[in-house]
Amino acid sequence: MAARPSERWGKWLVSGPPLAYLLVFFAAPTLIMVLASFRSPGEFGGLAPFFGDDGAPDLNLESYARFFTETVYAQVFVKSLWYALITTLFCLALAYPLAALIATSPRKYRDLLLLLVILPFWSNFLIRVYAWMIILGPNAAMARAVNGMLAYVGAGPVPLLFSSFAVLVCLVYVHLPFMVLPLYANLEKHDRALLDAAQDLGANAWQRFWRITFPLSLPGVYAGAALVFIPALGIFAIPDILGGPNDTLIGNLIKQQFLETRDWPFGSVLSIVLTIAALALAGLAAWIGRRSAGGGGPARA
Amino acid sequence: MALLEIQGVTRRFGDFTAVDDVSLAIEAGEFFTLLGPSGCGKTTLLRMIAGFDLPDGGRILLNGDDLADRPPEARPVRTVFQSYALFPHMTVEGNVAFPLKMAKTPGGEIAGKIAEALDDVRLAGFGKRYPHELSGGQKQRVAIARALVTHPTVLLLDEPLAALDAKLREDMQIELINLQKEVGITFVYVTHDQTEALALSHRIAVMNRGKVEQVDAPSRIYGFPRTAFVADFIGQCNLLSGPVTASEGGVVTVDVAGLGAVRAAAAAAPAIGAQGTIALRPEKVRIGVDANAARDDNRVSGKVADLLYMGDVTVYKVTTPGGLRVEALLANSQSGRAKFFEVDDAVEMSWPVDAGHFIAG
């Protein structure tokens, strides 16, 4: 049935402003970045003039060639993927029991427990990262306890701060709520009768989890993994503040190119490669998700 | 000894006693129904047999073994849940294979057993479908196949047909009877639907407020209700109460207010003056216009107050001069005719002595 003209206009009236917002502040900058990646850096940063002295337009693949020939960038990239993966796995391992606990607790406590999960968002992100500097600092109780135990077994003291350990601990801490919330939203909807049925049919607690609860929670797992993995992949503040010299990630590299080296074309190339990698991984996860849902299985968010 | 013995089982939730000192003995191969209104404790009792709930008092024995220490997964008892509880992420085959895998059935035997179970419930060829691709009746069959595939000792069914529409429910009732005959497994069936209970069961336990009111074959439950609750809950029934004025040779006379002396059959002789109730089924009441035509012992005239045309029968609610309402039922054997009497018609009702059934108390 064809929509009436007034309905058609109404639709655009509602969805137009957010669409315009995204066009101006997301699509246009992305396009500018794509164009910049094919340009040369300017003498004093930024971009070189589009028409050079010879009058030819400034379009080349030099920045791409640099990324794919100098292995150091690929290494940073792989390291970033690795950190993001570890962060995602730790978040999943910590968030699953937490989400399950909230989902199975009495209804009157659930809102309070959820509030506690999102409570960290009420203080500034950077302040929370700096707080970890104090927690992990050399004179804090944690470092003293760890190094005290290490000294007891005859091992030398290790710095907790400015290390991969500090970066990963903080990455997990910052991203944990993003894993808990979609998992909770999924687990909360599970039908208790299915577990009763599984138990009635001979499944013990372990089998009930792995054969019923976990497969049915996969949409929540994928959603949480995407919400953790993608931001963790591009993060720069945490390695900047808590990391050591070897903890430079792709996010730091991009920030460096734009703000310090002022090589906009190369920074754009790094950003584009990161975006494409994230999209490819999200697509792969969605594909795996559809396959494991068993062809026609009902998708449950 | 009976296969499943429930001995003095009690279950309390706070101040509320859901199941109150219930004792039942269910025989092997029996189709046994727990019948009662919602909240009567029948589902709680079923959950205790399955192991999802534990009695506060009493014992449940299966083949003479106390089940108290065995969790649901370790009991040779399977449940068909009211909501079917099919696993949505598994195909029909996956669902039916689940209990086989849990029982560590050798892989080579699984396919054959699935095929057999699906065949039993007439769902051969549906193995690759997912639950959301099935109709309510088909889901029900999968749930039954899944519960039966491991050949449990007892199958518990918790209002399994409640969600189906009337026509499908009747078909499924016949299938359940045949299936139970075929597999020979003891069925313990919970329902609040008395016609379903009468149609399906070998024996029925009528429950009310946590207690068993009567355990009997369906025809005896209907024909010889032991309590007024059973008489009233099973089918339609006129309950005529009053003091006993005479009792002789298996026939009692009760003085019913608004009706007068009513004579009915009694199994035991009650004391004169004791309170009693005569249960009188509407279909046993003859209704006509001519008082002389009836030669029955019990006779009363009245006026039609309401009538309810049901298609096959019409129910007449007749008010006696004394102000009592008596229901009578007349089959509409003549097609195209909805009723024999109109509201406000004067009618004569009568019934023989053995039509009424005396209940003490």
Side-chain angles (χ1 to χ4, degrees):
Chain A
M1 195 174 72
R4 276 178 313 201
S6 63
E7 278 178 14
R8 236 179 357 242
W9 281 111
K11 198 172 79 182
W12 283 111
L13 215 60
V14 172
S15 56
L19 213 62
Y21 181 91
L22 284 175
L23 272 174
V24 172
F25 296 109
F26 177 72
T30 304
L31 196 67
I32 291 169
M33 202 176 68
V34 170
L35 288 175
S37 72
F38 294 103
R39 302 279 299 276
S40 303
E43 220 167 316
F44 305 104
L47 300 175
F50 189 64
F51 292 106
D53 296 337
D54 50 2
D58 173 34
L59 285 173
N60 59 66
L61 291 170
E62 270 166 37
S63 295
Y64 284 96
R66 183 172 156 207
F67 177 80
F68 287 108
T69 50
E70 291 179 35
T71 53
V72 59
Y73 300 114
Q75 278 167 11
V76 171
F77 213 91
V78 168
K79 190 193 278 177
S80 299
L81 287 170
W82 179 238
Y83 274 42
L85 183 70
I86 291 179
T87 303
T88 308
L89 291 178
F90 269 98
C91 279
L92 183 62
L94 291 174
Y96 207 109
L98 204 58
L101 181 78
I102 299 173
T104 54
S105 59
R107 199 162 276 282
K108 56 182 174 180
Y109 298 127
R110 280 188 213 167
D111 288 342
L112 178 70
L113 291 169
L114 279 178
L115 185 73
L116 291 176
V117 169
I118 58 168
L119 200 61
F121 291 133
W122 290 5
S123 66
N124 180 278
F125 168 74
L126 282 178
I127 290 175
R128 283 182 286 136
V129 177
Y130 277 113
W132 277 100
M133 274 183 96
I134 298 165
I135 296 169
L136 298 174
N139 294 319
M142 198 166 162
R144 286 187 184 194
V146 168
N147 284 321
M149 271 189 284
L150 283 177
Y152 191 73
V153 297
V158 292
L160 295 185
L161 194 56
F162 306 128
S163 66
S164 312
F165 170 76
V167 172
L168 282 171
V169 165
C170 192
L171 276 171
V172 170
Y173 160 76
V174 163
H175 291 103
L176 195 57
F178 296 104
M179 186 66 95
V180 174
L181 294 178
L183 272 178
Y184 164 78
N186 174 287
L187 290 172
E188 189 251 350
K189 280 186 288 184
H190 282 207
D191 182 2
R192 170 75 223 176
L194 294 182
L195 292 182
D196 279 353
Q199 187 173 18
D200 188 73
L201 295 167
N204 60 33
W206 185 250
Q207 290 164 324
R208 291 199 292 277
F209 176 76
W210 282 113
R211 290 182 178 269
I212 310 297
T213 305
F214 188 72
L216 287 175
S217 70
L218 280 177
V221 171
Y222 294 135
L227 287 181
V228 170
F229 186 87
I230 292 171
L233 190 59
I235 203 137
F236 63 87
I238 293 172
D240 257 3
I241 297 167
L242 298 174
N246 291 324
D247 292 314
T248 301
L249 299 183
I250 191 77
N252 304 95
L253 221 52
I254 293 170
K255 186 191 131 207
Q256 251 171 40
Q257 295 306 318
F258 278 103
L259 299 183
E260 288 156 36
T261 321
R262 289 182 55 74
D263 186 342
W264 287 15
F266 191 57
S268 298
V269 167
L270 291 175
S271 297
I272 287 164
V273 173
L274 179 65
T275 306
I276 289 171
L279 280 177
L281 285 166
L284 185 73
W287 183 71
I288 293 171
R290 253 199 310 279
R291 267 174 53 103
S292 67
R300 290 198 187 180
Chain B
M1 176 190 277
L3 177 77
L4 181 65
E5 291 214 38
I6 294 158
Q7 301 179 339
V9 165
T10 298
R11 178 75 176 108
R12 292 182 203 89
F13 298 101
D15 291 340
F16 176 66
T17 305
V19 176
D20 191 357
D21 193 22
V22 166
S23 293
L24 293 167
I26 298 167
E27 304 291 338
E30 203 172 11
F31 198 130
F32 192 92
T33 297
L34 300 172
L35 172 66
S38 61
C40 73
K42 57 193 191 298
T43 298
T44 306
L45 188 59
L46 198 77
R47 286 179 64 81
M48 287 192 283
I49 300 171
F52 291 115
D53 206 348
L54 291 174
D56 292 318
R59 299 194 301 167
I60 298 172
L61 305 180
L62 185 65
N63 275 324
D65 297 328
D66 194 336
L67 290 177
D69 297 331
R70 298 167 74 175
E73 63 264 37
R75 298 188 181 196
V77 170
R78 296 278 182 262
T79 308
V80 175
F81 292 85
Q82 190 173 1
S83 63
Y84 316 139
L86 298 182
F87 306 131
H89 57 303
M90 297 181 194
T91 58
V92 168
E93 275 179 4
N95 269 281
V96 179
F98 188 85
L100 294 170
K101 286 179 184 160
M102 294 303 108
K104 303 226 160 30
T105 309
E109 295 172 21
I110 288 182
K113 288 186 189 239
I114 293 173
E116 194 186 325
L118 289 181
D119 209 41
D120 279 346
V121 296
R122 305 200 295 126
L123 269 185
F126 283 80
K128 302 289 180 217
R129 301 245 190 131
Y130 278 88
H132 72 271
E133 298 169 313
L134 302 176
S135 71
Q138 289 166 340
K139 282 183 196 170
Q140 183 59 74
R141 290 158 201 263
V142 175
I144 292 169
R146 185 176 71 172
L148 282 177
V149 71
T150 49
H151 297 285
T153 313
V154 176
L155 185 71
L156 308 175
L157 302 103
D158 185 7
E159 307 238 7
L161 308 184
L164 304 180
D165 61 65
K167 190 88 191 97
L168 192 57
R169 195 151 62 218
E170 202 168 291
D171 293 344
M172 279 300 291
Q173 284 173 6
I174 291 167
E175 277 191 45
L176 274 178
I177 293 171
N178 293 335
L179 181 70
Q180 199 267 341
K181 231 180 275 173
E182 207 174 292
V183 297
I185 290 170
T186 306
F187 279 26
V188 179
Y189 192 96
V190 159
T191 184
H192 66 271
D193 182 334
Q194 36 101 11
T195 54
E196 197 168 289
L198 294 173
L200 292 174
S201 324
H202 295 140
R203 282 196 302 155
I204 298 171
V206 182
M207 290 183 70
N208 183 33
R209 297 179 182 194
K211 285 186 177 293
V212 172
E213 299 254 338
Q214 186 171 358
V215 184
D216 242 325
S219 60
R220 292 197 59 83
I221 293 265
Y222 187 81
F224 305 102
R226 194 172 298 154
T227 65
F229 173 82
V230 175
D232 194 35
F233 189 72
I234 313 290
Q236 294 298 311
C237 202
N238 294 301
L239 294 175
L240 311 171
S241 301
V244 176
T245 54
S247 172
E248 198 188 338
V251 176
V252 290
T253 307
V254 175
D255 184 28
V256 180
L259 203 63
V262 177
R263 281 151 58 81
I272 307 297
Q275 281 290 316
T277 300
I278 292 169
L280 178 66
R281 297 288 180 194
E283 72 268 22
K284 300 237 173 117
V285 179
R286 288 181 201 152
I287 181 166
V289 281
D290 188 359
N292 298 325
R295 283 162 293 139
D296 294 320
D297 286 323
N298 298 298
R299 235 173 286 167
V300 65
S301 59
K303 211 180 227 184
V304 175
D306 283 304
L307 53 82
L308 213 57
Y309 175 64
M310 318 271 271
D312 52 348
V313 295
T314 300
V315 177
Y316 298 93
K317 303 196 178 195
V318 179
T319 313
T320 67
L324 195 75
R325 281 228 172 170
V326 177
E327 270 185 35
L329 191 148
L330 206 54
N332 294 318
S333 44
Q334 219 171 321
S335 54
R337 186 165 177 185
K339 53 203 171 192
F340 291 89
F341 309 106
E342 297 290 343
V343 171
D344 284 343
D345 276 2
V347 290
E348 291 290 329
M349 293 182 293
S350 67
W351 61 94
V353 166
D354 61 2
H357 171 71
F358 179 80
I359 299 165

